[in-house]
Amino acid sequence: MDHPYFTTFVLVAGLVTAVVAQWRGWRPSLRTALVVGIGLRLILLISASADSWQPVDFAEGFKPAGLAILHHQDPVLATQGSWHFLPMIPYFYALALATGLPWEIAGRLCTIIADVVLIALVGKLAGRKYEPMARFQYACNPIALLIAVIHAQVEPVALVFLVGAYIVARSTRALEDSSFRGPGAMKAAWAGALFGFALSAKSWPIILLPVLLAMLPTWRQRLYGLCAAGAVPVFFLVTLPLVVDTSWANMLNVARYLGEVRPIIGEWGWTAVMTGGDWQLAATAAKIGQVVLYSTILLVMWLWWRSDRIDQTSAILLAFMVVTPRMGAQYLLWFVPFLCARPTRWSRPAMTLGAIWAGLGYIYLTQFDDNGWWKNHEWWAISSVAVIPFLVLAMPWSRRVSRPAKDVTVPETELVSAT
């Protein structure tokens, strides 16, 4: 990275602004939140797009996937498996590249646009009382800035559809309570479709499908939501022959990739300690880790089943980070919209430490050559164990068995302590 001090200054400025806003009890308008959020992202976009350093997957995986669509090629084959998701995002990349913009800008457009929309949606997720603060907190969040702009990972795209699905699903229950069954069924299908778009961007939202379905009030609406959620990924899969030169065998390979987890460990938590901070292809450890991971998710889902669905989601995603055997820094964005919408006593320290850890990887480690990067990667990966206890503390333990009103509010004591 060519401008580490400037990038760090922008990220710290966002963090300080968010902390002061919460400490002083500001209630910024939607316009203010959008102006601040867009401003921070544009500043970082200008810097990142002109940087000689670009993330490896952004340059060597995402760009070839977009170019493959432009040249009517299968993005999975063209990238030799570097892109192993559905073609929804490569379609966006191809559209952006078709405008003639440099890839350093074009490749970041969809993630930045999605992240800006998330600012407004996080406020809606929080409910009327905490809406102004929640959206402003997300607008300034350093993790969101790092992932959406510096790394340009597609997490914001998955999250914008996921949060939208939650909002629509919650409004469906209100319609059901008012006996508007016809519109309720339609909204249930829309909630499922939005979830399907999230799943078409990245595969990880699948772990939250039971939570979304539980938000729908009737079994019939859950069936509508489930069918719509499955229909969208199938739609993107079957559109491939219309856009690129591919075969049914290749399409089935894409579907198979969605269910696979590559056994690369050593980036985070217990696997980093086990490997000394080195990446390793360890199939046995990865399989054991997957069993522990999915067992933990099921346990947490059950423990928080009587809580608000946003709290349940935060608990699931935080627990994922605690025990996962495989990790990318972009995963840290998963829980941020939900913790901004319903903060806990330890949510601010957890997100701050997560931002520091990710920032060291994106900013500090990029100052070294390959040998220096690998050497420093060892202590950086192992240092992630210092973040994990705060992720555990940030889980909504005090709200585990209480279901609040539909218009989500957060107790004032927790808002004060979250600062």
Side-chain angles (χ1 to χ4, degrees), residues 59-105:
E60 299 181 8
F62 302 171
K63 183 179 180 180
L67 290 173
I69 297 295
L70 282 180
H71 296 111
H72 306 289
Q73 298 173 349
D74 190 310
V76 176
L77 292 179
T79 62
Q80 298 182 341
S82 293
W83 183 268
H84 54 279
F85 304 103
L86 288 167
M88 185 181 83
I89 299 298
Y91 289 166
F92 284 115
Y93 289 155
L95 287 173
L97 285 168
T99 65
L101 288 170
W103 168 250
E104 290 76 14
I105 296 176

Side-chain angles (χ1 to χ4, degrees), residues 99-325:
T99 65
L101 288 170
W103 168 250
E104 290 76 14
I105 296 176
R108 290 180 164 92
L109 288 181
C110 66
T111 58
I112 292 176
I113 291 171
D115 209 46
V116 169
V117 176
L118 262 175
I119 294 172
L121 292 186
V122 167
K124 294 296 182 183
L125 193 68
R128 296 189 193 94
K129 184 175 181 180
Y130 194 55
E131 181 175 0
M133 183 58 66
R135 64 194 178 205
F136 192 76
Q137 291 296 309
Y138 188 82
C140 301
N141 191 277
I143 297 177
L145 295 172
L146 281 166
I147 305 307
V149 186
I150 304 299
H151 195 169
Q153 263 284 358
V154 299
E155 260 60 27
V157 182
L159 282 166
V160 75
F161 288 112
L162 178 63
V163 173
Y166 272 45
I167 294 170
V168 173
R170 190 167 60 187
S171 68
T172 302
R173 182 171 293 276
L175 286 175
E176 182 68 19
D177 292 344
S178 302
S179 300
F180 293 114
R181 299 185 183 275
M186 182 62 69
K187 282 205 168 188
W190 275 113
L194 287 170
F195 187 90
F197 280 105
L199 190 58
S200 299
K202 293 293 286 283
S203 57
W204 65 263
I206 191 65
I207 64 177
L208 298 174
L209 181 58
V211 180
L212 178 79
L213 295 179
M215 296 178 73
L216 301 174
T218 69
W219 285 105
R220 176 174 294 183
Q221 291 184 11
R222 290 165 190 161
L223 179 61
Y224 293 158
L226 179 62
C227 291
V232 175
V234 171
F235 167 78
F236 281 110
L237 188 62
V238 300
T239 59
L240 270 175
L242 303 177
V243 180
V244 305
D245 182 16
T246 188
S247 65
W248 283 104
N250 292 336
M251 292 166 59
L252 292 176
N253 283 336
V254 173
R256 177 174 55 84
Y257 277 130
L258 289 174
E260 289 184 350
V261 178
R262 289 172 292 178
I264 301 176
I265 64 171
E267 183 82 358
W268 168 270
W270 64 273
T271 63
V273 175
M274 185 181 75
T275 66
D278 291 329
W279 289 341
Q280 291 185 10
L281 287 170
T284 300
K287 288 179 180 178
I288 295 173
Q290 291 299 308
V291 172
V292 173
L293 173 62
Y294 294 129
S295 299
T296 301
I297 290 174
L298 289 174
L299 176 62
V300 172
M301 190 176 296
W302 175 72
L303 289 174
W304 268 267
W305 194 254
R306 294 175 56 193
S307 67
D308 180 86
R309 296 304 175 193
I310 302 172
D311 289 331
Q312 186 184 29
T313 299
S314 295
I316 291 170
L317 296 178
L318 287 165
F320 184 105
M321 304 302 159
V322 171
V323 301
T324 181

Side-chain angles (χ1 to χ4, degrees), residues 1 4 7-8 11 53 55 141-148 150-151 153 267-268 321 327-336 349-367 373 377 379-381 383-388 391:
M1 181 176 289
T7 302
T8 302
L11 296 173
W53 171 85
N141 191 277
I143 297 177
L145 295 172
L146 281 166
I147 305 307
I150 304 299
H151 195 169
Q153 263 284 358
E267 183 82 358
W268 168 270
M321 304 302 159
M327 174 72 172
Q330 67 270 16
Y331 293 13
L332 292 171
L333 185 60
W334 295 2
F335 54 80
V336 170
M351 288 189 288
T352 300
L353 284 176
I356 292 172
W357 183 81
L360 286 171
Y362 286 122
I363 300 173
Y364 180 72
L365 264 64
T366 58
Q367 304 306 302
W373 188 92
H377 178 273
W379 67 259
W380 175 70
S383 70
S384 62
V385 298
V387 181
I388 288 177
L391 299 182

